[in-house]
Amino acid sequence: MTEHTPPKRRGRPRGVSDARERIIAAAVEEFGEHGYEAATIRLIAARAGVDSALVHHYFGTKADLFAEAIGIPLRPDIDVPGILAGPRDEIGERLIRYVLQAFEQPEIRRRGVMLLRTAIGSKLTTPLLAGFLSRELLSRVAKSLDVDDAELRASLVASQIAGMLIARYVLRLPALATASVDDLVARVGPTVQRYLFD
């Protein structure tokens, strides 16, 4: 007579559980081994020994789980659609203001600078962050443009924003580090606008 292993119970576990921590640990491993694009909620759930529904219960979407797993301070998948839905002639300035205002918050700046420093030259973090931004930011911007070179335009916007963040918050170039958000929005916004629409 063979022993029968009871099936995994679906949904949220009863009582005290370490399922949330196991899911995060599994997500870090899965994202690290397979990248953002190839990692799936199903694979992460299997690695954590839980049902996929429990992952969705705790974290919602894959983007939510990724943001939690690596501590990403911005959520372009949530915020950028609203920015793109506003008046077209102000999108460049709104994108720059969104990023800068977020980074002016001390906790977001601390985590964001840590992520930027880690991502530069890291064999693990660089492709993870690039995959996340490609899917959750660049593809959304590109889809909104409806032009043949939309991906290039979106990538140019990302390069402008990444360069600005690194120069202001990581390298702390004096004039850029002390400039006001309004000044940078007025100067960088039109460049982003031109990348998008000219």
Side-chain angles (χ1 to χ4, degrees), residues 36-37 66 119 124-138:
Y36 183 79
E37 293 291 338
F66 179 79
L124 175 62
T125 313
T126 299
L128 284 180
L129 188 58
F132 175 78
L133 292 177
S134 177
R135 179 171 169 172
E136 305 299 345
L137 172 62
L138 300 184

Side-chain angles (χ1 to χ4, degrees), residues 91-180:
I91 288 177
E93 290 187 356
R94 284 201 310 276
L95 276 171
I96 296 302
R97 187 175 297 282
Y98 159 70
V99 172
L100 287 174
Q101 284 182 336
F103 266 73
E104 288 302 298
Q105 299 173 48
E107 179 59 19
I108 289 181
R109 182 169 57 247
R110 184 186 67 77
R111 294 171 66 195
V113 167
M114 179 185 70
L115 185 59
L116 287 170
R117 288 184 187 278
T118 305
I120 297 171
S122 167
K123 290 182 180 179
L124 175 62
T125 313
T126 299
L128 284 180
L129 188 58
F132 175 78
L133 292 177
S134 177
R135 179 171 169 172
E136 305 299 345
L137 172 62
L138 300 184
S139 66
R140 293 171 196 277
V141 173
K143 285 177 187 173
S144 75
L145 298 178
D146 195 29
V147 292
D148 291 339
D149 60 348
E151 288 187 16
L152 175 59
R153 289 171 179 262
S155 295
L156 287 168
V157 169
S159 73
Q160 187 73 39
I161 291 172
M164 178 185 67
L165 292 177
I166 290 168
R168 180 174 171 88
Y169 297 107
V170 178
L171 300 177
R172 297 196 53 80
L173 300 180
L176 192 57
T178 58
S180 70

